[in-house]
Amino acid sequence: MDSAAQDFQPRTFSIKLWPPCEKTRLVLVERMMKNLSTESIFSKKYGLLGKEEAHENAKRIEEECFMSADEHFKQEPDGDGSSAVQLYAKETSKMMLEVLKRGPRTTVVAEAPEVDAPCQPADTVFDISGGKRAFIEADEAKVVLSQLSKPGSSYKRICFSNRSFGIGAANVAAPILESIKNQLTEVDISDFVAGRPEDEALDVMRIFSQALEGSVLRYLNISDNALGEKGVRAFSDLLRSQEKLEELYVMNDGISEEAAKALSELIPSTEKLKVLHFHNNMTGDQGAMSIAEMVKGSPNMESFRCSATRIGSDGGVALAEALETCTGLKKLDLRDNLFGVDAGIALSKTLPKLPDLVELYLSDLNLENKGTVAIASALKQSAPHLEVLELAGNEINAKAAPDLAVCLGAMQSLKKLTLAENELKDDGAVIIAKSLEDGHTNLKELDVSSNMLQRVGARCFAEAITNKAGFVKLNINGNFISDEGIDEVKRILKDGKNSLDVLGPLDENEPEGEPDDEEEEEDEDAEDDSDELDSKLQNLKVG
């Protein structure tokens, strides 16, 4: 080996991983925004964030996590920054999960110059909900919750969801929570006693309730705890002290008639309440009366969800009448109940008093034609800003189509329309599709699956949306569209401004199937049907 080779010393390169460049940070914000506003298992359970709200949250999360990670990096200036990067990634994931589980918010925030809005300190949120659901006992609680009790901590929002507390862990948490309760504004103790025996779960609830009594909360989530009346009353101390709640979530809690009554009695005031989500309970008509009393006392309500709660006609009428006081309501979700025609008509009388509605979910309510027509007549003049309308599974047929079409023609802000699992057939499809053809430049999604559609109906809906820029999804699955009809739909989409990507799956379409004609016997030949409907298309106009 020559001397030059012996004298050679390899040069050492030092790569710094922190801080990330501005471009990297912007890319992360965009990625988080996409994740927060894309449908997932969380959005199905808690609701889907709009892009604007998702972007605001993504930007806030990135800024807070960057500050936290940068502070960490300053404590180890000789490192390569890898631990700061890991902290940055870990904290963004945790905070994203918190936002997803909270669901979309509809509270109105006063506008202010962006430069004057300081970033929140990174330690305002304490969240242990990440990872798999698991029991937490006293020893682990001492370690996990120790950060809350550090002098000078400024935690305002806590989330203990997805961790099942036993008595020992609850007794550890109690004095800590009591010491910081005056600074707390948001508490999420959803799904925090899963798998515990009933007696132990109730004791844990009482311990938390007593520790948090007197806190002035704007947000409280006690969902997924199988409360029943006993559980609601176990939270008595906490609920009785809440007079300024703005958001309350009591979903999937086994809320019976008695539990609903207890909830209504215990909360002293709902005057400031803006969000009440009461999904998936067994409330029934009598329980709905108690919920209606809460709604009556909530003039500032912006988002009300009372879906899948076994409420029938009487309870539906009571809720409809109570909603008259919520004149600023933006989101109303009453899906999957047993309202029937009378409750639908009662709701139609309330809708004109809710001019700010943006999202309306009325699927699976047994509205039938009469209830649907009443609601459509009310909406055509009273909901100019409506962006989402769902009326699936209501036994709507072609007789209601003209009224529905007039209503849809007036809704030029509509982004999503769901009419799935009805009985429109081609006759109704022709009329409704025509109402969507002109204007409706914001329409993104149309679901007319399982409506006994054939070739003509499918073609009409394809023609209605093919030239709408930005359209995302057409669902015509579960119908009786022939192979030739499917080919025609695909050709229409190819020739328009949208690609075939907007066409949803067709795995449940039955090309050989035919709709049941219970009321009409004259149309025996499918080709004759097509000719007759083609002629209707030529001169159809929607008022």
Side-chain angles (χ1 to χ4, degrees), residues 1-9:
M1 185 180 295
D2 58 32
S3 59
Q6 290 177 333
D7 293 338
F8 173 75
Q9 295 292 330

Side-chain angles (χ1 to χ4, degrees), residues 36-256:
L36 290 171
S37 59
T38 301
E39 287 193 4
S40 65
I41 58 172
F42 293 102
S43 68
K44 290 178 181 178
K45 184 174 182 181
Y46 300 107
L48 184 65
L49 273 70
K51 287 190 175 181
E52 183 177 347
E53 184 181 359
H55 185 267
E56 290 173 0
N57 278 285
K59 187 177 179 183
R60 174 182 60 79
I61 290 171
E62 193 283 328
E63 288 175 347
E64 291 183 11
C65 293
F66 177 83
M67 289 173 60
S68 180
D70 198 49
E71 192 64 34
H72 174 84
F73 178 68
K74 290 174 182 177
Q75 304 301 318
E76 48 172 32
D78 296 331
D80 62 358
S82 59
S83 61
V85 171
Q86 290 176 355
L87 179 64
Y88 185 52
K90 180 180 178 182
E91 291 301 313
T92 53
S93 296
K94 284 175 61 177
M95 293 182 70
M96 277 181 63
L97 181 63
E98 180 200 61
V99 171
L100 287 169
K101 294 180 76 171
R102 178 181 295 135
R105 296 194 181 195
T106 55
T107 52
V108 179
V109 180
E111 292 186 1
E114 194 168 324
V115 293
D116 295 335
C119 296
Q120 287 185 314
D123 63 347
T124 61
V125 182
F126 184 84
D127 187 350
I128 61 171
S129 64
K132 294 181 179 180
R133 176 189 289 181
F135 280 14
I136 181 169
E137 306 300 348
D139 290 342
E140 184 183 359
K142 290 176 183 177
V143 176
V144 172
L145 304 182
S146 61
Q147 196 172 348
L148 279 173
S149 57
K150 288 182 178 178
S153 70
S154 56
Y155 292 105
K156 296 180 180 179
R157 297 177 286 166
I158 60 172
C159 178
F160 288 177
S161 179
N162 209 39
R163 299 303 306 273
S164 180
F165 281 73
I167 293 290
N171 284 326
V172 170
I176 296 174
L177 292 175
E178 195 163 357
S179 69
I180 64 169
K181 67 181 180 182
N182 291 333
Q183 67 195 46
L184 293 176
T185 59
E186 299 185 15
V187 170
D188 183 345
I189 44 178
S190 59
D191 193 20
F192 83 129
V193 289
R196 301 287 181 178
E198 180 180 315
D199 290 344
E200 182 179 19
L202 291 172
D203 285 340
V204 169
M205 293 177 195
R206 292 187 191 98
I207 292 170
F208 270 78
S209 175
Q210 291 166 5
L212 292 167
E213 180 186 8
S215 54
V216 183
L217 303 179
R218 60 162 300 279
Y219 171 102
L220 177 61
N221 190 343
I222 53 176
S223 303
D224 301 305
N225 285 313
L227 296 176
E229 183 187 7
K230 291 180 182 178
V232 171
R233 296 200 179 280
F235 279 119
S236 293
D237 293 332
L238 172 59
L239 294 175
R240 282 198 187 101
S241 63
Q242 300 308 308
E243 296 189 10
K244 296 186 178 181
L245 275 179
E246 294 179 19
E247 299 185 37
L248 176 61
Y249 299 83
V250 195
M251 300 184 290
N252 193 32
D253 267 330
I255 300 296
S256 60

